[in-house]
Amino acid sequence: MSDSAARPKVAAVVVAAGKGLRVGGDLPKQYRRVGGRAVLTRTLAALAASPRISRIQPVIAPDATDFFRECVAELEPALANKLAEPVPGGATRQQSVAAGLEGLARSGAPDLVLVHDAARPFVDEALIARAIEAGGEHGAAVPGVAVSDTIKLVETIAPGIGRVHETPSRENLRAVQTPQSFRFGSLLDAHRRAVAESRDGFTDDGALAEWAGLAVVVFEGDARNRKITQAADLIEADRAFSKEAPAIS
Ligand code: CTP
Ligand code: MG
């Protein structure tokens, strides 16, 4: 067994401040129930259950405090104890991540941070362990899976029509997921620089890190770790979680 003092202090930022427009409905997707528990409850539970993660910083919409409290109430107390007070997110995912990192910086910076989408409730311990290992070794690491479709790089020339520029070799393509893993100070600096230079709209932290000049590696993701994006994903997640052991309530 390695000395526990030598292990990096790992925290997670969970971004849950989106509106879930593509899924639609009255309630944002992270607060919808799948297999009897809210998506966000499942995501927080999976991260908090990891002995490797000591603290979780949730980022929520300012008007979603009551929904968030309901998710916390569904968590076992030992897991809920790892949650920091939620901080309000911003208009873009990037702004929400930045708010989460600043929250962690105020409450005691970790060595390593995992940034994770609330909309990915299938994250598990094996993926968390790979994220921490790759982030610890390389400083900036994102999970990716091989793509099965051939991908075209296009330029949109009319609604729904793109002119093909290039067909990159599929072997070199990865579909990227979260949790993404970074040395905390490097990612915080990169986000602060983006704010200072008015750069917004990076859809993942890997892209922001690349922009900031960090060398980013891709480690093995998990095909099951889908992001709930469309209404059909929510139905499928409900089915998948309903097959598991009954939810604790
Ligand atoms: N997110 C966030 N703040 C935003 C936008 C997104 O915290 N301003 C979070 C979402 O809550 C989600 C994750 O980032 O957990 C990934 O974003 P996405 O899947 O695009 O979710 P939404 O933006 O909510 O969905 P949509 O784009 O369909 O509106
Ligand atoms: Mg979005």
Side-chain angles (χ1 to χ4, degrees):
M1 282 286 283
S2 64
D3 178 6
S4 69
R7 277 189 211 135
K9 189 179 164 212
V10 183
V13 167
V14 173
V15 281
K19 293 190 164 76
L21 296 177
R22 286 169 290 180
V23 165
D26 293 336
L27 197 60
K29 59 190 181 185
Q30 59 273 32
Y31 300 114
R32 304 275 285 272
R33 301 183 91 75
V34 287
R37 293 175 111 183
V39 170
L40 178 57
T41 304
R42 290 192 175 276
T43 303
L44 293 173
L47 295 171
S50 173
R52 296 173 168 85
I53 296 176
S54 55
R55 193 168 180 73
I56 299 174
Q57 176 64 70
V59 182
I60 65 170
D63 61 358
T65 314
D66 290 348
F67 296 135
F68 176 75
R69 294 275 159 240
E70 285 169 28
C71 292
V72 176
E74 290 185 315
L75 281 174
E76 295 80 357
L79 303 184
N81 278 344
K82 288 193 182 178
L83 299 184
E85 272 304 300
V87 294
T92 63
R93 183 186 185 281
Q94 184 189 326
Q95 290 174 24
S96 294
V97 174
L101 296 174
E102 295 293 354
L104 284 178
R106 284 191 297 272
S107 64
D111 301 311
L112 206 65
V113 64
L114 304 186
V115 180
H116 189 61
D117 293 329
R120 289 186 194 270
F122 294 101
V123 58
D124 69 7
E125 183 61 22
L127 184 57
I128 291 167
R130 290 202 293 279
I132 292 172
E133 200 186 325
E137 186 168 345
H138 300 281
V142 303
V145 293
V147 295
S148 45
D149 293 325
T150 294
I151 310 279
K152 305 281 181 193
L153 186 66
V154 302
E155 176 202 350
T156 302
I157 55 171
I161 303 290
R163 190 185 311 285
V164 174
H165 269 287
E166 204 187 320
T167 305
S169 166
R170 211 164 57 190
E171 284 143 62
N172 299 329
L173 293 173
R174 299 290 179 275
V176 162
Q177 314 177 325
T178 71
Q180 301 191 348
S181 178
F182 303 89
R183 277 187 203 116
F184 179 75
S186 315
L187 188 64
L188 182 65
D189 284 351
H191 270 274
R192 285 180 174 169
R193 235 179 87 192
V195 170
E197 297 185 27
S198 303
R199 292 291 305 250
D200 196 8
F202 287 106
T203 52
D204 83 330
D205 296 279
L208 186 142
E210 286 163 51
W211 167 81
L214 298 176
V216 180
V217 302
V218 177
F219 62 93
E220 190 194 338
D222 184 340
R224 291 166 303 179
N225 177 36
R226 292 180 308 274
K227 179 161 70 73
I228 295 174
T229 303
Q230 311 286 349
D233 301 327
L234 201 59
I235 293 166
E236 199 177 317
D238 182 49
R239 215 174 276 145
F241 284 119
S242 299
K243 279 194 205 131
E244 290 182 358
I248 307 151
S249 57

